Amino acid sequence: MSIRTDNLTWKIGRKTILDDVSFEAKPGQMLGLLGPNGSGKTSLLRLLAGLKKPHSGSVTLEGWDIKSIGRRAMAQRVAFVEQHAATNSNLKVIDVVKLGRFPHRSMFSGWSKADDDAVSEALDRAGMSEKRDDRWQSLSGGEKQRAHIARALAQSPKELILDEPTNHLDIQHQISLMRLVSSLPVTSIIALHDLNHAAMFCDRLIVMQRGKIVASGAPEEILTQDLLRDVFSVDARVETSPHHARPHIHYLR
């Protein structure tokens, strides 16, 4: 067991945003979170990262309620790449990635070889080693997203949470980024809009609608024509190949 939620409910005022949400993300797997806008995906991710507190229910890491885990310890364990992550100053890429080491350093500790090694490995995994000395404002959108992921990896997390990281990227960078995340040796939970990317890269999927989980399981089990019509209001044909179990969605006019 890695991350688990039990009967999670979260509200804004009297409006229920998440309603009795329960699921488990298994260690080392990539869990995709799908749903129309307003279904509660971003709110759920922020609860998983400990940035919001549930009104009822719980989020646990390895059986420990995250309410009992300090912010520093949480940041050493879980990394969160937000949908609109931004870096305002024109830092070098390596300086942006170094920010990920802060949870592992005390007020009085100096920069260590372990910090250097973690940053170098994160840059390498994210394919940003050759850009380490480039200025932030010179990067493309895809490179900025990879730098944010490198900063998250520099935290040395066991769980990586990403909120629609492929938004506003061209198709080449979308595929490249999804391949990167799926190859990482961590438990990842990723909110996505592209259903084919979810089917192609995720081990399991959760589909949300109006704050509730309406389907969960392997992509080939839950991505059906009925679900696409009922949840996403689209007419589509779902195909699988005898040589490849992953479904592919063809949208109909």
Side-chain angles (χ1 to χ4, degrees), residues 46-47 49 61 99 115 136 148 171 190 192 199 227 238 241-242:
R46 294 181 71 82
L47 284 162
L61 281 173
L99 296 173
D115 294 321
W136 184 259
H148 280 305
I171 187 64
I190 179 169
L192 293 167
L227 180 134
V238 181
S241 164

Side-chain angles (χ1 to χ4, degrees), residues 78-117:
V78 179
F80 183 32
V81 179
E82 298 189 66
Q83 183 175 347
H84 300 295
T87 299
N88 295 322
S89 58
N90 197 18
L91 297 171
K92 288 183 178 181
V93 168
I94 190 169
D95 293 324
V96 172
V97 178
K98 282 181 175 181
L99 296 173
R101 295 304 298 165
F102 280 9
H104 296 275
R105 301 173 64 226
S106 70
M107 185 182 301
F108 304 106
S109 65
W111 191 260
S112 68
K113 183 180 183 300
D115 294 321
D116 269 332
D117 290 345

Side-chain angles (χ1 to χ4, degrees), residues 1-252:
M1 178 177 64
S2 183
I3 297 181
R4 177 186 173 113
T5 71
D6 288 289
N7 309 115
L8 202 62
T9 298
W10 187 72
K11 302 177 181 181
I12 297 179
R14 294 184 178 180
K15 183 177 181 181
T16 299
I17 307 299
L18 294 170
D19 188 3
D20 199 31
V21 172
S22 298
F23 71 90
E24 181 179 324
K26 296 182 179 179
Q29 287 195 342
M30 185 172 179
L31 175 64
L33 192 60
L34 304 176
N37 287 338
S39 59
K41 300 188 300 295
T42 294
S43 297
L44 176 55
L45 294 183
R46 294 181 71 82
L47 284 162
L48 296 177
L51 300 178
K52 294 181 182 295
K53 295 182 179 179
H55 286 84
S56 62
S58 63
V59 180
T60 56
L61 281 173
E62 303 292 352
W64 292 88
D65 193 317
I66 65 169
K67 289 187 291 187
S68 68
I69 302 174
R71 293 181 65 86
R72 179 185 172 91
M74 188 73 177
Q76 291 174 348
R77 171 78 189 240
V78 179
F80 183 32
V81 179
E82 298 189 66
Q83 183 175 347
H84 300 295
T87 299
N88 295 322
S89 58
N90 197 18
L91 297 171
K92 288 183 178 181
V93 168
I94 190 169
D95 293 324
V96 172
V97 178
K98 282 181 175 181
L99 296 173
R101 295 304 298 165
F102 280 9
H104 296 275
R105 301 173 64 226
S106 70
M107 185 182 301
F108 304 106
S109 65
W111 191 260
S112 68
K113 183 180 183 300
D115 294 321
D116 269 332
D117 290 345
V119 168
S120 294
E121 183 178 355
L123 285 164
D124 186 53
R125 281 195 176 276
M128 291 296 289
S129 292
E130 293 184 1
K131 297 285 185 177
R132 61 191 295 135
D133 292 318
D134 287 15
R135 294 288 176 178
W136 184 259
Q137 300 304 335
S138 72
L139 302 180
S140 68
E143 290 167 344
K144 287 179 179 177
Q145 281 289 52
R146 282 178 170 268
H148 280 305
I149 290 175
R151 179 174 64 179
L153 294 178
Q155 291 176 228
S156 302
K158 292 186 178 180
E159 288 84 19
L160 180 62
I161 297 172
L162 306 102
D163 190 6
E164 298 184 8
T166 59
N167 265 15
H168 312 302
L169 300 184
D170 60 41
I171 187 64
Q172 174 190 359
H173 286 109
Q174 289 179 27
I175 296 295
S176 178
L177 192 142
M178 290 298 295
R179 283 177 177 155
L180 164 64
V181 174
S182 66
S183 72
L184 296 172
V186 298
T187 303
S188 56
I189 301 176
I190 179 169
L192 293 167
H193 266 307
D194 192 303
L195 302 179
N196 278 313
H197 288 173
M200 189 185 310
F201 292 102
C202 295
D203 299 299
R204 292 182 63 249
L205 299 176
I206 286 175
V207 181
M208 298 188 67
Q209 187 178 33
R210 293 188 288 274
K212 288 180 173 287
I213 293 177
V214 295
S216 65
E220 62 271 19
E221 295 171 348
I222 67 169
L223 289 178
T224 65
Q225 292 175 218
D226 287 344
L227 180 134
L228 297 179
R229 183 184 61 248
D230 296 343
V231 175
F232 297 96
S233 301
V234 295
D235 290 322
R237 184 174 70 254
V238 181
E239 293 183 350
T240 56
S241 164
H243 306 292
H244 197 280
R246 300 279 178 143
H248 185 80
I249 298 164
H250 296 271
Y251 297 100
L252 306 177

